Amino acid sequence: MKVLTAADVRRTVSMPAAIDAVREGFLELAAGNFVLPARQIFGDGTVLVMSAYHSPTGTAVVKKIGINLSQVPAIRATVIWTGGGEQLVADGTSITTLRTGAVVGVATDLLAPPDATRLTLIGTGAQAADQVRAVLAVRRIATTTIAGRNERRATELAKTLATEFPIVTFTPTTSIDDAIATPDIICCATSSTTPLFTADALPQNVHVNAIGAFRPTMRELPRDLLATADLVMVDQREAALEESGEIIDALAKGALKESDLLELGTALTTKPNPTGRTVFKSVGVGCQDWSIARALANSDD
């Protein structure tokens, strides 16, 4: 049995490699090659269990997640991967942030303007840095604004990322309105229960990723953005309908129809050609964890 720490995960799978792995995972999902049971939720959402079974290879992954939004990191998880007589147990917290960043990289590569140079990140929690790493892996970003309620945390994150990406200018701020006025790409990674901004505060041409709200009671995106966006993409329609507060609200109010939701796997097989405002909403699905765990299991390290 292979046991991997968070440091092992990071050393073994880079963000570009994670993006490639997750992209392949969603192509496999679109091909119908996964069995994805509904996420099990316990303790009013404080404990989650996710699983995925890949039929062609007979491999499977199970992830147990504990969530406490009052601590950092808010998510603590363990991943178990089995296949071919081999078993891998790995730090699931690092896998979760890595695969969540990776899926944003896949979506951004599909929907964001090819010449995008300006990024805004809203949120300074455990998921935040991998959102930036993923976008920088697929676009030549020159400037990144980091918006957070806590000025110290925004400044610390900006300094950390500036060391990692010295050719990018990082600017911390506590003003979301200022941060969203001019970017080409926005990443939302917060635990907000109310929308972070209004649609009329955004540029006319912008791609927005939202990964923070994973319960029906949580919302990062405003209803008017979902109603007016040229394209709204989700990781998986079924998961979004069960867990995304923004999507559930927009459907209930008639701002969206289920048929308006484009699945990521479908977009990878028939690439869209969007203009104007685009949105990617992710709540996370088991094939992402499987993709990273398979990369770890197949590594020579």
Side-chain angles (χ1 to χ4, degrees), residues 166-199:
I167 66 172
V168 179
T169 299
F170 291 90
T171 303
T173 182
T174 57
S175 172
I176 291 178
D177 287 343
D178 290 346
I180 64 173
T182 60
D184 304 301
I185 301 168
I186 297 172
C187 289
C188 305
T190 76
S191 57
S192 181
T193 57
T194 58
L196 299 170
F197 46 77
T198 60

Side-chain angles (χ1 to χ4, degrees), residues 65-174:
I65 311 161
I67 299 174
N68 183 344
L69 297 179
S70 65
Q71 68 182 19
V72 177
I75 297 174
R76 300 177 189 271
T78 302
V79 165
I80 300 173
W81 187 91
T82 59
E86 184 178 4
Q87 180 166 285
L88 176 146
V89 178
D91 175 75
T93 305
S94 56
I95 288 176
T96 298
T97 57
L98 181 61
R99 60 83 145 158
T100 304
V103 77
V104 161
V106 175
T108 299
D109 202 26
L110 278 170
L111 301 183
D115 58 351
T117 60
R118 296 166 297 182
L119 168 66
T120 285
L121 168 70
I122 304 175
T124 59
Q127 297 274 8
D130 276 331
Q131 297 295 295
V132 174
R133 294 182 182 115
V135 174
L136 267 57
V138 298
R139 289 294 183 273
R140 294 182 179 275
I141 299 299
T143 62
T144 297
T145 301
I146 298 175
R149 291 177 299 178
N150 186 309
E151 183 177 7
R152 177 185 60 80
R153 286 177 60 177
T155 300
E156 289 177 353
L157 180 57
K159 289 180 179 178
T160 298
L161 289 169
T163 300
E164 190 172 341
F165 302 100
I167 66 172
V168 179
T169 299
F170 291 90
T171 303
T173 182
T174 57

